[in-house]
Amino acid sequence: MSFEEMWAALLPVGRDAWTGGYHRFAWTPPELDCRAWFTDEARRRGLRIEHDPNGNLFAWWDAGSGPAVLTGSHLDSVPGGGAFDGPLGVVSALAAIDRLRAAGFTPRRPIGVAVFAEEEGARFGVACLGSRLLTGAIDPSRARGLRDGDGRTFGEVIAEHGLDPAAIGPDEGLLGRIGCFVELHVEQGRALREPVGVASAIIPHGRWRLDFTGEGNHAGTTLLADRRDPMLPFAHTVLAARRSAAGNDSVATVGKVTVVPGGVNAIPSSVTAWLDARGPTDDAVRRTVEEIAEAARRAAAEHGVTVDLAEESYTEIVGFDHALRDRLALVVGGQARSAEPAPVLPTGAGHDAGVLSARVPTAMLFVRNPTGVSHAPAEHAETGDCLAGVTALAAVLKDLTGG
Ligand code: GLV
Ligand code: MN
Ligand code: MN
């Protein structure tokens, strides 16, 4: 199957007909369908399937010997996400293997294609959960207890899908077999003018949960002076987040809120909000979040409401392996008409590559995104650029496994 045929096969899976957005949460039917599709494609190519204890999936071209070159990405999505974030890296990896085989190339080292679990953290709240578990970046007992929106734990859900919750955690055997990891991904910020670029860094980023607790009451009969309405400090906090981010050269987003009980004619008893903050340095992010927390505490006190803030995940700045980055820039540039090194750029988006980079030399290829829209249905990359990405990835795999 060509890149275009594989892409077309995945395109309807988990797509909301009304908005065009994708809802492929980890271990829900659309994501499982994507995994089944991947397994079929891998088997069709004679690749060996491996399930690790953490829900990550691998397809191996068991060629040659020595440490493997791993590529791939993820198949889960954010709520209402785009088609490219994740699947582009997986489909491109299979297409790159096809290119190498069609050219008669035999690698001297194994090549693996990874599908990492719960990269977006859309179901259990912690982004890159599969790669964090694999590399030991999250405590397994904490991971087991993470709950989805229906109150089901990660441990319960993976047990239903044949995994042993007691066995999750770092997998040194698997890590030891990986020589390097190269993730191809759609670029997500309108920063890439060429069809394909190479990542330099991922800026620091994290997620925090804010619980505002007040008193539920009647919307019509409760005097303003008697209210303890958690919606008010919440609203104040959202505006403070914008102000603090701007003041610290950072970004801050509140994209998810739950209101209890959620009645039009009821003052809420509680509001829970999730804050995503990112910035150029750890200090900038920490300062931004501290300022937001202070604003939340002040506003909560003013309205007779309590607020608790909990950090759900944090990823420090990631600088990708310099030697690998420079090597990729030359290889990819060699494929382009200009024969200049490919552009090298940082990103504000998180990736499994950022997590893996703590344990194995890691790099990323980016495919141009003409509008920069991502985590939204309009996310797009031109087919010609995607095919240039496949060409670049094939060249990189050849370079890294040919010697
Ligand atoms: C993942 O895509 C993130 O940047 O949050
Ligand atoms: Mn994403
Ligand atoms: Mn992604």
Side-chain angles (χ1 to χ4, degrees):
M1 261 203 198
S2 66
F3 173 90
E4 289 96 326
E5 286 167 328
M6 287 192 280
W7 195 252
L10 263 188
L11 221 45
V13 183
R15 186 169 187 266
D16 182 283
W18 186 250
T19 64
Y22 287 87
H23 297 262
R24 295 170 174 165
F25 302 152
W27 288 286
T28 63
E31 199 246 348
L32 292 168
D33 286 352
C34 290
R35 283 173 178 251
W37 166 87
F38 175 75
T39 306
D40 281 354
E41 288 295 326
R43 291 220 170 98
R44 206 193 296 253
R45 289 167 173 80
L47 304 176
R48 179 175 55 83
I49 298 292
E50 176 181 358
H51 294 268
D52 83 356
N54 298 307
N56 304 310
L57 183 56
F58 299 86
W60 294 104
W61 181 0
D62 287 318
S65 60
V69 174
L70 187 67
T71 182
S73 190
H74 61 95
L75 292 172
D76 65 312
S77 78
V78 296
F84 293 81
D85 180 353
L88 184 63
V90 176
V91 173
S92 300
L94 295 172
I97 287 177
D98 292 347
R99 289 267 185 101
L100 294 177
R101 288 177 164 179
F105 174 72
T106 308
R108 291 173 184 239
R109 301 204 256 154
I111 294 178
V113 182
V115 172
F116 286 108
E118 177 73 333
E119 192 272 350
E120 299 288 7
R123 180 160 184 190
F124 293 102
V126 175
C128 301
L129 188 55
S131 56
R132 280 184 206 271
L133 281 164
L134 165 65
T135 57
I138 185 168
D139 179 32
S141 60
R142 179 177 170 227
R144 270 189 289 276
L146 291 171
R147 287 183 191 277
D148 68 8
D150 295 327
R152 311 204 49 229
T153 65
F154 179 68
E156 279 163 42
V157 169
I158 62 171
E160 259 174 24
H161 293 280
L163 292 169
D164 175 5
I168 63 172
D171 187 340
E172 295 302 331
L174 175 54
L175 282 172
R177 287 189 274 132
I178 303 171
C180 65
F181 176 51
V182 179
E183 180 171 0
L184 179 147
H185 204 279
V186 67
E187 204 273 329
Q188 295 171 281
R190 209 154 44 91
L192 180 58
R193 312 230 176 251
E194 303 288 321
V196 183
V198 175
S200 56
I202 299 178
I203 65 171
H205 57 283
R207 296 181 183 187
W208 291 262
R209 174 183 160 137
L210 290 133
D211 288 294
F212 297 91
T213 308
E215 183 180 48
N217 214 330
H218 194 290
T221 59
T222 315
L223 297 177
L224 291 181
D226 291 344
R227 294 179 182 218
R228 293 171 49 221
D229 183 349
M231 190 63 85
L232 297 172
F234 158 70
H236 187 90
T237 304
V238 174
L239 297 176
R242 173 68 182 227
R243 260 195 314 276
S244 298
N248 288 299
D249 192 22
S250 298
V251 291
T253 308
V254 179
K256 180 176 167 184
V257 187
T258 58
V259 180
V260 175
V264 177
N265 53 357
I267 298 163
S269 55
S270 69
V271 173
T272 298
W274 283 264
L275 170 72
D276 178 308
R278 313 184 189 211
T281 63
D282 290 308
D283 273 358
V285 179
R286 294 289 180 197
R287 221 173 18 250
T288 301
V289 174
E290 197 31 63
E291 287 174 16
I292 296 168
E294 186 47 37
R297 284 191 284 267
R298 253 186 285 118
E302 203 177 303
H303 291 282
V305 167
T306 62
V307 60
D308 292 315
L309 177 105
E311 182 173 303
E312 294 204 327
S313 63
Y314 189 75
T315 306
E316 289 180 355
I317 192 160
V318 171
F320 288 112
D321 186 273
H322 287 190
L324 197 54
R325 174 199 69 192
D326 294 346
R327 185 167 171 175
L328 262 60
L330 286 176
V331 172
V332 175
Q335 302 297 309
R337 249 171 298 162
S338 63
E340 294 283 318
V344 175
L345 62 158
T347 181
H351 299 286
D352 294 305
V355 176
L356 264 286
S357 73
R359 297 300 309 277
V360 296
T362 295
M364 290 191 77
L365 296 178
F366 287 137
V367 170
R368 175 165 58 188
N369 176 339
T371 62
V373 172
S374 189
H375 284 185
E379 182 182 82
H380 183 69
E382 295 294 337
T383 302
D385 289 351
C386 295
L387 294 175
V390 173
T391 303
L393 182 60
V396 164
L397 295 176
K398 183 175 177 189
D399 181 65
L400 294 173
T401 63

